Amino acid sequence: MTTVNNATSTALATANATTQGLASDTENRFLTLLVTQLQNQDPLNPMDNAEVTSQMAQLSMVTGITQLNNTLLALSGQMDVSQSMQAANLIGKDVLVPGTKISVGVDEEGTHVTPFGVDMISEATKVVVTVTDSAGNVVRSIDLGSQPVGVISVDWDGKNDAGTAVAAGAYTFNVKATNASEEAVSADALTYGRVGSVAYTSAGLTMDLGLAGSHSLLSLRKIM
């Protein structure tokens, strides 16, 4: 926290110094222009006080906007730094992000299925998850019943509808959610990944989830 506070103070101090420099340059240019106008004005038609006051007001407004812009830029940069530091705490964590992949492994201890879930955007009276193999064949249908808005985890024991363990490999799933009128409601499939690293790119903060690929931090739906 101390590091973040120090970085904030440094960013704001830099913004203030930059703003003061820009304001000083602007004021010098304005005064030079104003003096030149006064020296070369028509004696029979001199500049009136209202015009000079108007120009001074414009200068004040420009200076204020410049200072505000620089302060906002400094704060925005500091927020990026703070988010990066917080995102680093995700390294090594298991997360759910939008996706449809499921991985099934089999060893002497039994069948292991990677976690997956559903992001319920709207409340539903019936939610059905359908798991398919690499050939597109349905191997298991899981009725989750009614579900409220929110992220839910789905448990699959790695068996097909006949109760037989499926082979190890890659599977996918889709979600169908309906309301009481049997109309489709919004629900997104969520796949599993383990955060290996976090990077700050031109597209923002991204998480490297290994085989699950790279995902924006904004795609994070659940930390397990």
Side-chain angles (χ1 to χ4, degrees), residues 3-212:
T3 302
V4 173
N5 290 337
N6 289 340
T8 301
S9 298
T10 300
L12 290 175
T14 301
N16 288 333
T18 301
T19 299
Q20 291 174 2
L22 290 173
S24 179
D25 290 342
T26 301
E27 290 173 1
N28 289 336
R29 288 195 297 270
F30 173 79
L31 291 174
T32 299
L33 177 61
L34 181 59
V35 169
T36 301
Q37 286 179 313
L38 292 173
Q39 289 176 340
N40 295 278
Q41 66 181 326
D42 185 353
L44 300 178
N45 185 28
M47 294 176 63
D48 58 26
N49 291 335
E51 184 177 355
V52 175
T53 301
S54 175
Q55 292 188 17
M56 292 294 292
Q58 291 177 21
L59 172 65
S60 178
M61 181 181 295
V62 170
T63 301
I65 292 174
T66 300
Q67 182 175 3
L68 178 61
N69 286 342
N70 279 279
T71 301
L72 290 176
L73 286 173
L75 290 175
S76 177
Q78 180 50 38
M79 288 178 63
D80 288 340
V81 172
S82 178
Q83 288 179 344
S84 298
M85 295 178 66
Q86 293 175 355
N89 294 326
L90 291 173
I91 296 176
K93 298 292 182 64
D94 295 332
V95 299
L96 291 181
V97 295
T100 60
K101 296 180 180 179
I102 307 174
S103 179
V104 176
V106 179
D107 57 24
E108 61 275 5
E109 297 181 356
T111 300
H112 306 280
V113 181
T114 56
F116 60 106
V118 177
D119 184 3
M120 297 299 305
I121 311 301
S122 302
E123 182 179 358
T125 55
K126 184 175 183 180
V127 181
V128 177
V129 170
T130 302
V131 181
T132 56
D133 60 20
S134 58
N137 301 311
V138 175
V139 296
R140 182 70 179 269
S141 292
I142 305 173
D143 189 343
L144 301 178
S146 63
Q147 294 293 335
V149 173
V151 174
I152 58 174
S153 296
V154 180
D155 293 323
W156 178 36
D157 55 10
K159 295 180 180 180
N160 58 24
D161 286 328
T164 303
V166 301
Y171 294 79
T172 59
F173 74 103
N174 62 69
V175 182
K176 182 180 180 181
T178 54
N179 58 21
S181 301
E182 297 186 353
E183 298 172 331
V185 297
S186 299
D188 294 335
L190 301 177
T191 190
Y192 162 85
R194 175 168 292 177
V195 182
S197 63
V198 176
Y200 187 78
T201 69
S202 58
L205 285 167
T206 59
M207 304 174 294
D208 181 3
L209 303 183
L211 295 177

